[in-house]
Amino acid sequence: MTETRAPVGRGMRARRRVLRAALDVLADDGMPGFTIESVARRAGASKATVYRHWASPSALLVDAMDAEFRPLADVDTGDLRADLVALLSLFAASLTGSPFPQLMAAFTDAAERDPALGEMHAELTRRRREPLLRVLTAAVARDELPRGTDADLVVDLLAAPFFYRRLIAHQDIPEDLAGRVVDHVLAGLRPGEAVVVRAKTPTLGARRSDRQGN
Amino acid sequence: MTETRAPVGRGMRARRRVLRAALDVLADDGMPGFTIESVARRAGASKATVYRHWASPSALLVDAMDAEFRPLADVDTGDLRADLVALLSLFAASLTGSPFPQLMAAFTDAAERDPALGEMHAELTRRRREPLLRVLTAAVARDELPRGTDADLVVDLLAAPFFYRRLIAHQDIPEDLAGRVVDHVLAGLRPGEAVVVRAKTPTLGARRSDRQGN
DNA sequence: CGTCAACGAAACGCACTCGTATCGATAGAG
DNA sequence: CTCTATCGATACGAGTGCGTTTCGTTGACG
């Protein structure tokens, strides 16, 4: 028994092809089209091969999502606002220029009905939040934010609008959304002078565009 | 020809039963289970009846979602914070005590792939936003919020965290989330003394509970 | 009370997925 | 170079949805 589980063998390549194909199918056709047959077909693999590796479609889906996950690059320039805007802009980019939203929509639906997928969804979300969380706790540590700040709630406030606009409201995500969200949220965090200072910067002045009508 | 299209005929009752069944199926089984056959079965109707009324599954889905839509009760006590908290609490309740989240997840996925459903999704979301939007513009009108306030962005900031926590992060929604979100967002909107004033009211004092640990 | 449109039930052929089984081909290990 | 585990391909019967058609029933309206 070689026990070493050869890092790159024949089986490993097939496995990776299938995982990749699984995500392609999911993004293109959603859960209704996510079938063992169509994944195998797309991977150029045999059904038997897929069944050999995964006991159920959920198991395959979990592995595929896990393999695909890429954490946002960590940033820490020491400038809270710049760090947050950078992270959220990266996130916004993945929401506009990749199949990520389709994957999210399909997986969200599946997670709503399969507990194992639900747990996986929660875990992936937790990982995605980490960079933001680190930036915020660092800011608290150097007293740039009040000590009692609930960093988890702040991450919700920062990240949620991007999902919401893209997946729920079906509006596009303007270039400056990251900056405006960060400004609004940070302004709400600073009791006293910090808010006033920021309220007078050009940043907020630029939002006087009320062309939105009623 | 009675032309009046009897408001409650035999056909009307069947139609309504099918629409109701469509939502039940969608909430229970998601898009993969949303099939003409299973909807008809659940409605105690014949497939032929369903096909007589709707040309495609999407058409049925659009009608079903449209029929189900219930706008949030309109509130206007004149107290901005109270109104927002009331609306968001109602919304939070529908996210925790009804099949609404499952419906949203399934419909979001479908909307991602069918342009007609996407348009519908955007429209329903627009309608859901209206009460919040009205409360905000009223507050601007009576100078409780700055004139340049971007009400649309504020609605994003207010509503998004609820979807996010329930559908993406799979966390539960605490009782006081509505109040805390509103406080954070409002604090970010008020340049100068308004923020300071609110920061000293019992309202924000209540959020000094950082028992969130971490 | 009779008429008739709309109903529910059932059956149809077609296409597809499921999960399993069998087969020859092949790549990697000894 | 040989052996063997794993591969891709293919076939299978059972199950299901599709979209349509047929047929007997029912309920609203004249």
Side-chain angles (χ1 to χ4, degrees):
Chain A
M1 263 183 211
T2 50
E3 174 51 61
T4 42
R5 277 285 174 201
V8 173
R10 186 160 57 133
M12 218 47 185
R13 258 175 289 143
R15 185 188 151 90
R16 272 205 273 267
R17 252 188 311 141
V18 172
L19 288 176
R20 165 55 100 194
L23 292 179
D24 289 348
V25 169
L26 190 64
D28 284 0
D29 304 335
M31 283 305 292
F34 188 78
T35 165
I36 297 284
E37 295 230 5
S38 82
V39 170
R41 204 180 313 132
R42 174 98 77 150
S46 162
K47 281 200 299 173
T49 301
V50 180
Y51 278 108
R52 245 174 251 134
H53 284 297
W54 295 277
S56 72
S58 322
L60 169 57
L61 194 45
V62 165
D63 273 14
M65 291 297 289
D66 188 62
E68 178 67 2
F69 179 80
R70 295 275 178 281
L72 288 178
D74 240 316
V75 301
D76 184 14
T77 68
D79 177 357
L80 174 59
R81 179 180 188 279
D83 287 351
L84 292 178
V85 171
L87 283 174
L88 290 178
S89 295
L90 277 176
F91 179 46
S94 79
L95 275 175
T96 57
S98 79
F100 177 69
Q102 283 87 356
L103 240 48
M104 278 299 302
F107 197 57
T108 298
D109 183 32
E112 209 50 55
R113 282 165 197 87
D114 182 325
L117 294 180
E119 182 47 51
M120 178 82 189
H121 199 195
E123 167 63 20
L124 291 182
T125 301
R126 226 172 290 134
R127 285 196 228 160
R128 242 192 313 271
R129 292 166 61 95
E130 265 170 21
L132 282 172
L133 218 43
R134 264 195 292 274
V135 167
L136 287 170
T137 55
V140 171
R142 66 175 118 86
D143 278 319
E144 201 173 343
L145 287 179
R147 187 147 329 255
T149 302
D150 182 344
D152 270 298
L153 177 59
V154 175
V155 172
D156 288 348
L157 292 174
L158 289 172
F162 293 86
F163 283 107
Y164 176 79
R165 284 186 75 102
R166 175 59 183 78
L167 293 174
I168 311 282
H170 290 254
Q171 295 172 0
D172 50 34
I173 297 181
E175 285 276 342
D176 63 342
L177 184 61
R180 295 167 73 202
V181 168
V182 169
D183 284 336
H184 270 83
V185 173
L186 287 188
L189 287 178
R190 289 152 162 168
E193 88 287 349
V195 179
V196 178
V197 169
R198 186 157 292 284
K200 291 187 174 168
T201 62
T203 299
L204 274 189
R207 108 184 161 345
R208 68 162 194 49
S209 59
D210 44 334
R211 43 84 185 97
Q212 193 58 271
N214 58 324
Chain B
M1 270 185 209
T2 50
E3 173 52 62
T4 42
R5 278 282 175 200
V8 174
R10 188 162 54 133
M12 217 48 184
R13 257 175 290 141
R15 186 187 149 89
R16 273 204 273 265
R17 251 188 310 140
V18 172
L19 288 176
R20 165 56 98 192
L23 292 179
D24 289 348
V25 169
L26 190 65
D28 284 1
D29 305 335
M31 284 306 292
F34 189 78
T35 163
I36 297 284
E37 294 230 6
S38 83
V39 170
R41 206 180 310 134
R42 179 100 129 208
S46 161
K47 280 199 299 172
T49 301
V50 180
Y51 278 109
R52 249 172 245 133
H53 285 296
W54 296 276
S56 71
S58 323
L60 170 57
L61 194 45
V62 165
D63 273 14
M65 291 297 289
D66 188 63
E68 178 67 3
F69 179 80
R70 296 273 179 284
L72 287 179
D74 239 316
V75 301
D76 184 12
T77 67
D79 176 357
L80 175 58
R81 180 180 188 279
D83 286 352
L84 293 179
V85 170
L87 283 174
L88 291 179
S89 295
L90 277 176
F91 178 46
S94 78
L95 275 176
T96 56
S98 78
F100 178 69
Q102 283 87 353
L103 239 50
M104 278 300 300
F107 197 57
T108 298
D109 183 32
E112 211 48 56
R113 283 165 196 88
D114 181 325
L117 294 180
E119 183 46 51
M120 179 82 189
H121 199 195
E123 167 63 19
L124 291 182
T125 301
R126 227 173 289 133
R127 286 195 228 159
R128 240 191 314 270
R129 292 166 61 96
E130 266 170 22
L132 282 171
L133 219 43
R134 265 196 291 274
V135 166
L136 287 170
T137 56
V140 172
R142 67 175 115 88
D143 277 322
E144 201 172 343
L145 287 179
R147 186 144 333 252
T149 301
D150 182 343
D152 271 298
L153 178 58
V154 175
V155 172
D156 288 348
L157 294 174
L158 289 172
F162 294 86
F163 283 106
Y164 176 79
R165 283 186 76 99
R166 174 61 182 76
L167 294 174
I168 311 281
H170 290 255
Q171 295 172 1
D172 50 33
I173 298 182
E175 285 275 343
D176 63 341
L177 184 63
R180 296 167 72 200
V181 168
V182 170
D183 285 335
H184 270 83
V185 173
L186 287 188
L189 287 177
R190 290 156 160 163
E193 88 289 347
V195 178
V196 178
V197 169
R198 184 158 291 284
K200 290 185 176 168
T201 61
T203 300
L204 273 190
R207 107 170 158 8
R208 72 164 190 49
S209 59
D210 43 332
R211 43 96 183 87
Q212 193 58 273
N214 92 297

